[in-house]
Amino acid sequence: MGGESLEAASESNPLHVRDASLGELDEVSAVNIAAYSEYAASFSREVWEAYASNVANVRERLGESELIVAERNGTIIGAVTFYPDASLSAVEGWPPGYSGIRLLAVRPEARGRGVARALMSECLRRSRERGVRYVGLHTTEVMAVARGMYERMGFKRAPQFDIEPIPGRVVMAYHLGL
């Protein structure tokens, strides 16, 4: 950014939210890893390596999802995986009638500037456009900032859809009725 602060760059260069292109998949993988690396210490090394591999593997989810990015000044600073039909995502176990949001990621240096909210709003817009009744997502206890944003956006806990990928580690479900 040539010495310009992120805040000043934000004012002069608007945020663009759009679908990722195939040529941007490696960049999106890097954004995901940068965003989720702060949680590495809450996992064992083996579990983190498996989780990081999944977070980075944006290609695997393309068949049943849409990869949405937030770009400013030609750089991808955020991404989210949106499932128009969340029942197609084997990981989360959402029933028919749900869309799903997974792997919301914002580069650490771009946080606090509305990027995550813009990506979430785009997922909600796409859900409404398709006539979806509920939007679901999963998060964890350590992701307190994300949980706060989801709750401010109207998402409510849906413990009936919680998952436990590792014994003793609950991944909390939230949903929003549209």
Side-chain angles (χ1 to χ4, degrees), residues 28-29 32-33 36 48 50-58 61 103:
V28 174
S29 291
N32 283 2
I33 290 297
Y36 281 85
W48 167 249
Y51 185 62
S53 176
N54 180 272
V55 165
N57 191 358
V58 296
R61 294 179 281 277
L103 296 171

Side-chain angles (χ1 to χ4, degrees), residues 8 18 40 83 94 136:
R18 58 177 174 73
Y83 289 87
W94 295 109

Side-chain angles (χ1 to χ4, degrees), residues 21 57 60 73 127:
S21 71
N57 191 358
E60 183 176 286
N73 199 27
S127 296

Side-chain angles (χ1 to χ4, degrees), residues 36 38-43 51 139-147 169-170 172:
Y36 281 85
E38 74 179 271
Y39 305 114
S42 67
F43 295 98
Y51 185 62
T139 190
T140 65
E141 193 67 36
V142 299
M143 298 177 181
V145 172
R147 279 195 340 273
R169 188 175 289 258
V170 174
M172 302 177 297

Side-chain angles (χ1 to χ4, degrees), residues 20-151:
S21 71
L22 292 177
E24 295 172 320
L25 298 182
D26 289 338
E27 188 176 358
V28 174
S29 291
V31 168
N32 283 2
I33 290 297
Y36 281 85
S37 287
E38 74 179 271
Y39 305 114
S42 67
F43 295 98
S44 70
R45 191 179 64 114
E46 297 79 22
V47 171
W48 167 249
E49 287 174 2
Y51 185 62
S53 176
N54 180 272
V55 165
N57 191 358
V58 296
R59 287 168 177 81
E60 183 176 286
R61 294 179 281 277
L62 287 179
E64 60 270 348
S65 69
E66 298 171 9
L67 186 57
I68 304 168
V69 296
E71 171 260 318
R72 179 172 282 135
N73 199 27
T75 301
I76 294 174
I77 58 173
V80 66
T81 302
F82 172 68
Y83 289 87
D85 180 352
S87 68
L88 297 177
S89 173
V91 175
E92 285 81 21
W94 295 109
Y98 273 74
S99 63
I101 297 171
R102 186 157 184 247
L103 296 171
L104 176 65
V106 177
R107 286 189 184 276
E109 65 273 15
R111 291 181 181 161
R113 299 200 168 49
V115 177
R117 184 172 280 278
L119 289 164
M120 289 291 294
S121 294
E122 178 63 12
C123 291
L124 297 179
R125 185 194 68 75
R126 291 180 186 208
S127 296
R128 286 185 179 100
E129 187 176 83
R130 290 175 167 95
V132 173
R133 296 193 55 196
Y134 293 97
V135 180
L137 60 85
H138 286 89
T139 190
T140 65
E141 193 67 36
V142 299
M143 298 177 181
V145 172
R147 279 195 340 273
M149 181 189 66
Y150 303 145
E151 290 167 1

